[in-house]
């Protein structure tokens, strides 16, 4: 099968011969090729990990990407999650920006599968 080179731009260290997980995207295109997707396989695996962390109540590492109205956006396993401002610390926070760019520990407290939303604490 074939995979678009664009799906590997996130990993500059990838080289010929490396093993990657893929998902069959299209069984056959116009030329008879099997179309595979590495990005979709990574997304499914990330959602599996988020769901498992939620179900088991485990602590996960996340990277605080940016500040948003009412809280922060956190990258957890490649999925953007919302961290409410009230959940950042036990005492009220005045300067949210000090947390941007940091890797911290979080718990997945809520998942809305319909809207693909994740809330962490």
């Amino acid at each position: 099968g074939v995979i678009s080179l664009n799906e590997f731009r996130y990993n500059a260290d990838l080289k010929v011969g490396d093993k990657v997980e893929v998902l069959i995207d299209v069984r056959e295109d116009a030329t008879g090729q099997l179309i595979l997707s590495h990005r979709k396989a990574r997304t499914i695996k990330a959602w599996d990990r988020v769901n498992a962390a939620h179900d088991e109540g485990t602590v996960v590492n996340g990277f605080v990407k940016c500040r948003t109205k009412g809280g922060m956006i956190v990258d957890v396993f490649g999925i953007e999650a919302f961290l409410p401002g009230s959940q950042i610390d036990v005492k009220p926070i005045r300067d949210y920006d000090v947390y941007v760019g940091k890797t911290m520990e979080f718990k997945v407290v809520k998942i809305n599968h319909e809207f693909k939303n994740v809330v962490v604490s």
Side-chain angles (χ1 to χ4, degrees), residues 16-89:
V16 174
D18 287 353
K19 292 188 183 210
V20 295
E21 290 189 7
V22 297
L23 178 88
I24 297 173
D25 197 17
V26 179
R27 288 174 61 111
E28 244 180 68
D29 67 357
T31 61
Q33 288 284 338
L34 189 67
I35 306 298
L36 305 173
S37 175
H38 176 60
R39 185 182 309 117
K40 287 181 181 177
R42 280 194 357 250
T43 302
I44 289 170
K45 188 169 198 126
W47 274 105
D48 288 345
R49 293 174 73 188
V50 166
N51 285 322
H54 179 257
D55 295 343
E56 297 163 10
T58 55
V59 174
V60 297
N61 285 329
F63 177 76
V64 180
K65 291 174 72 172
C66 61
R67 180 183 171 173
T68 187
K69 182 181 177 186
M72 313 286 278
I73 299 296
V74 178
D75 183 304
V76 179
F77 305 128
I79 295 173
E80 286 190 350
F82 178 66
L83 172 64
S86 62
Q87 300 289 313
I88 295 174
D89 204 343

Side-chain angles (χ1 to χ4, degrees), residues 13 64 103:
D13 299 330
V64 180
T103 299

